[in-house]
Amino acid sequence: METRLAIIGIIVEERNVAPKVNELLSEYAKFIQGRMGVPYDAKDVSIISIVIDAPMDDISALSGKLGALQGVSTKTVYSKK
């Protein structure tokens, strides 16, 4: 199974959805190589950066599920390798 390296940037604008974000990240934990979360109180948001090494379908599925949550925005950047 071929995998790709990617970074998923997540901005959580509604804190009540944070448990659902964490639940989705836990589902894909076997692919996640690193995670950094920064609460940005000045804008009342949380910013999460995920490094993931997974098949393209799994990366797209996770990013799509996260982005479908109310109050969550995502952007994914893929490596060229």
Side-chain angles (χ1 to χ4, degrees), residues 3-23:
T3 64
R4 295 278 301 271
L5 185 62
I7 299 171
I8 302 174
I10 306 162
I11 298 178
V12 181
E13 297 174 343
E14 295 183 20
R15 294 192 185 224
N16 64 328
V17 77
K20 185 61 178 167
V21 170
N22 286 322
E23 180 182 317

Side-chain angles (χ1 to χ4, degrees), residues 2-5 78-81:
E2 186 176 336
T3 64
R4 295 278 301 271
L5 185 62
Y78 294 91
S79 71
K80 294 183 180 181
K81 294 185 175 185

Side-chain angles (χ1 to χ4, degrees), residues 11 20 26 33 40 50 63 70 73 77 79:
I11 298 178
K20 185 61 178 167
S26 292
Q33 303 304 308
Y40 188 47
I50 302 295
S63 183
Q70 182 72 29
S73 301
V77 178
S79 71

Side-chain angles (χ1 to χ4, degrees), residues 18-77:
K20 185 61 178 167
V21 170
N22 286 322
E23 180 182 317
L24 285 169
L25 294 177
S26 292
E27 286 179 31
Y28 289 85
K30 66 181 179 183
F31 299 119
I32 295 174
Q33 303 304 308
R35 171 182 176 170
M36 178 180 66
V38 178
Y40 188 47
D41 294 331
K43 297 283 186 178
D44 195 32
V45 299
S46 295
I47 303 160
I48 304 168
S49 178
I50 302 295
V51 177
I52 187 167
D53 185 4
M56 287 282 291
D57 290 346
D58 289 302
I59 296 170
S60 296
L62 174 57
S63 183
K65 289 176 184 178
L66 288 165
L69 296 174
Q70 182 72 29
V72 176
S73 301
T74 65
K75 192 68 162 183
T76 305
V77 178

